[in-house]
Amino acid sequence: MMNILVVNCGSSSIKYQFIEAETNTRLAKGLVERIGMSGAVLTNTRHDDDTIKLTGEILDHGMAIEYVLAVLLSKNHGVIKDKSEIHAVGHRVVHGAEDFAGSVLITDAVLQSLRDNIELAPLHNPHNIRGIVACRQHLPEVPQVGVFDTAFHQSMEPGAFLYGIPYVFYKKYKIRRYGFHGTSHFFVSNRMAEILGKSIQDLRIITCHLGNGCSMAAVKYGQSIDTSMGFTPLEGLLMGTRSGDLDPQLILYIMGKEGLSLAEATTLLNKHSGLMGISGVSSDMREIEEEADKGHDRSKIAFNMFCYRVTKYIGGYTAAMGGVDAIVFTGGIGENSTKVREAVCGQLAFMGVNFDAALNNSGPKERLITSEGSPTVVGIVPTNEELVIALDTMAIVNGQVPPSMRNMKKNHVLDPVE
Ligand code: ADP
């Protein structure tokens, strides 16, 4: 049996799961919060629901990993007796740029490439790197694998990934569309194929990952051919606090009018926009729905804008793939908001979506919400990025092709400009 520690490092938090990969058994999961701040907290939940909360000074990611290992090894709350029972560590890494079209064993050279790409993901990659360094330090004998949010979308072709700006910036600064949430889009599209009992290679699937961050992907015969996030996770759908698509000229205009610095403009678009910016009350879809129900106009507008963009992307991706066989909803909003799904799918009858309100309203977490025989199927699939990371990690350690790369046809990269 291979036990994999799956690690997802944020700026001040680490989410982790300890998974027995062959059987997909989660032995423990947890979260370290407020790293580097006063009153850091580690919460660990074991497979039998035994939960322990530790508070203390956790100064950095290295210390946080030490705490995680101590809990996993703890006599009363742990799941292993010795560190050697951790057979590999799988890390979620946000940005792999064009260097990584799939999961990799982390070597010194890989770590260096990740450092080279920090500029592309300044908010994420440094923390991912800290997590890797910490695990190497505390588990020096244990192989580590990186699984990238961008990797699944490396199959996009230049027509989908380039921006309409001078080509030289693609080469000079690596400016192109990368897309994110790739692990989730990969997982839910493949799971949908399984649910339908068909090969992913025969299906055109649109995946909607709607959480605090939101993105959609057009997955044609198993390959991501387009996705809504771009150079950064700001592009595309309306999100909790991010604007999504806009006319780039407007930000220059606002910067001029308000005298904003680059940092202020970045904060405006990433932290004060989206559902929050429109509604003025919340970035949280549950609260937006509650406020809209109470008659709060700007929450109604925010809700409608959110759903309108999802609908518009479904239309665009259907055309891009020459049709659509299945649409998948996932993420906190996609999995839980009956209203968002209804607002989007209720108007797709023209493209063969026989939406079933009763199925939409209740049932098992994973289910179809179109009626039997619907030409285009719509379903809810809870995402499981940790499982993908665990299975990829196990495959790489065993010298096999990781599952997330088995269907990948091509990593499209363009030659240098002459
Ligand atoms: P993250 O992207 O940070 O992982 P999640 O995937 O957990 O976030 O999604 C969080 C979003 O899901 C929030 O906007 C939250 O309001 C929304 N959400 C969770 N449950 C519901 C629900 N029952 N109805 C509507 N929205 C929900």
Side-chain angles (χ1 to χ4, degrees):
M1 286 295 162
M2 193 177 275
N3 298 331
I4 315 267
L5 179 62
V6 175
V7 175
N8 180 354
C9 287
S11 58
S12 64
S13 70
I14 297 183
K15 277 191 218 152
Y16 64 91
Q17 289 196 10
F18 191 51
I19 299 174
E20 190 183 87
E22 285 95 340
T23 55
N24 181 17
T25 307
R26 189 165 63 202
L27 303 172
K29 69 168 183 175
L31 172 67
V32 191
E33 293 165 282
R34 299 184 60 82
I35 297 170
M37 304 178 210
S38 65
V41 189
L42 183 157
T43 315
N44 183 78
T45 305
R46 202 164 54 184
H47 52 81
D48 58 2
D49 282 341
D50 168 85
T51 299
I52 174 173
K53 241 184 183 24
L54 299 173
T55 49
E57 293 304 295
I58 302 181
L59 299 180
D60 56 23
H61 289 71
M63 258 178 101
I65 291 291
E66 253 181 273
Y67 270 75
V68 172
L69 296 177
V71 168
L72 294 178
L73 285 159
S74 132
K75 212 165 142 218
N76 296 324
H77 304 283
V79 288
I80 49 171
K81 293 203 171 63
D82 193 271
K83 270 189 193 179
S84 63
E85 291 170 63
I86 301 173
H87 302 117
V89 183
H91 294 269
R92 176 202 183 205
V93 183
V94 170
H95 215 311
E98 288 184 345
D99 301 331
F100 302 105
S103 308
V104 288
L105 187 70
I106 297 173
T107 59
D108 290 342
V110 167
L111 204 48
Q112 189 51 48
S113 310
L114 296 182
R115 292 199 172 103
D116 293 343
N117 287 327
I118 280 182
E119 245 191 331
L120 291 176
L123 300 179
H124 295 286
N125 275 23
H127 315 300
N128 300 154
I129 292 169
R130 274 185 206 120
I132 293 168
V133 170
C135 287
R136 283 183 136 198
Q137 187 190 341
H138 295 290
L139 299 165
E141 310 295 329
V142 177
Q144 319 243 351
V145 166
V147 178
F148 300 90
D149 262 31
T150 48
F152 183 55
H153 304 301
Q154 282 292 301
S155 49
M156 284 193 289
E157 296 201 12
F161 76 63
L162 286 176
Y163 288 107
I165 57 173
Y167 185 86
V168 65
F169 293 117
Y170 165 58
K171 286 293 140 192
K172 209 169 159 189
Y173 302 125
K174 305 184 185 175
I175 293 176
R176 51 159 284 176
R177 308 186 61 251
Y178 291 100
F180 300 87
H181 291 145
T183 312
S184 177
H185 291 295
F186 162 78
F187 176 79
V188 300
S189 56
N190 280 270
R191 178 69 197 136
M192 187 56 150
E194 267 175 35
I195 294 169
L196 297 177
K198 292 190 174 153
S199 164
I200 185 98
Q201 296 180 24
D202 295 327
L203 293 170
R204 294 156 300 180
I205 303 177
I206 296 173
T207 47
C208 312
H209 180 112
L210 312 177
N212 283 313
C214 300
S215 73
M216 290 173 54
V219 185
K220 188 177 185 185
Y221 310 141
Q223 315 287 310
S224 171
I225 66 153
D226 205 348
T227 190
S228 60
M229 283 178 171
F231 179 58
T232 73
L234 183 59
E235 189 178 341
L237 301 171
L238 194 77
M239 308 181 211
T241 60
R242 295 180 212 145
S243 66
D245 293 333
L246 41 75
D247 177 347
Q249 189 68 39
L250 74 82
I251 190 60
L252 305 177
Y253 187 80
I254 295 174
M255 286 173 82
K257 284 279 188 197
E258 301 266 323
L260 299 187
S261 67
L262 282 176
E264 287 166 332
T266 302
T267 305
L268 171 70
L269 296 177
N270 285 282
K271 303 265 183 226
H272 300 302
S273 298
L275 293 173
M276 182 72 227
I278 296 293
S279 71
V281 294
S282 178
S283 64
D284 189 292
M285 185 52 94
R286 253 169 314 198
E287 287 175 33
I288 294 291
E289 291 182 5
E290 282 162 20
E291 289 299 318
D293 282 347
K294 285 190 229 155
H296 186 257
D297 282 335
R298 275 168 53 187
S299 294
K300 283 188 208 165
I301 296 171
F303 179 86
N304 290 338
M305 272 180 79
F306 182 93
C307 298
Y308 179 66
R309 283 217 191 161
V310 175
T311 309
K312 208 159 74 159
Y313 269 95
I314 288 177
Y317 287 166
T318 301
M321 295 193 290
V324 60
D325 302 298
I327 300 170
V328 187
F329 285 89
T330 194
I333 298 173
E335 291 168 33
N336 299 305
S337 174
T338 49
K339 288 187 175 160
V340 166
R341 292 191 305 262
E342 176 156 22
V344 172
C345 302
Q347 39 180 323
L348 299 180
F350 77 93
M351 48 184 264
V353 171
N354 296 339
F355 177 71
D356 186 318
L359 292 174
N360 183 47
N361 288 342
S362 63
K365 273 191 144 245
E366 182 184 89
R367 63 186 188 274
L368 300 184
I369 58 170
T370 39
S371 48
E372 187 91 36
S374 177
T376 302
V377 174
V378 182
I380 305 166
V381 178
T383 195
N384 194 346
E385 290 153 290
E386 291 81 7
L387 179 62
V388 176
I389 296 173
L391 294 179
D392 270 21
T393 301
M394 176 167 70
I396 286 180
V397 170
N398 287 335
Q400 296 159 349
V401 179
S404 76
M405 292 167 74
R406 285 184 192 148
N407 261 320
M408 186 129 196
K409 294 232 165 60
K410 201 165 170 210
N411 174 15
H412 291 283
V413 176
L414 290 169
D415 291 334
V417 188
E418 296 305 321

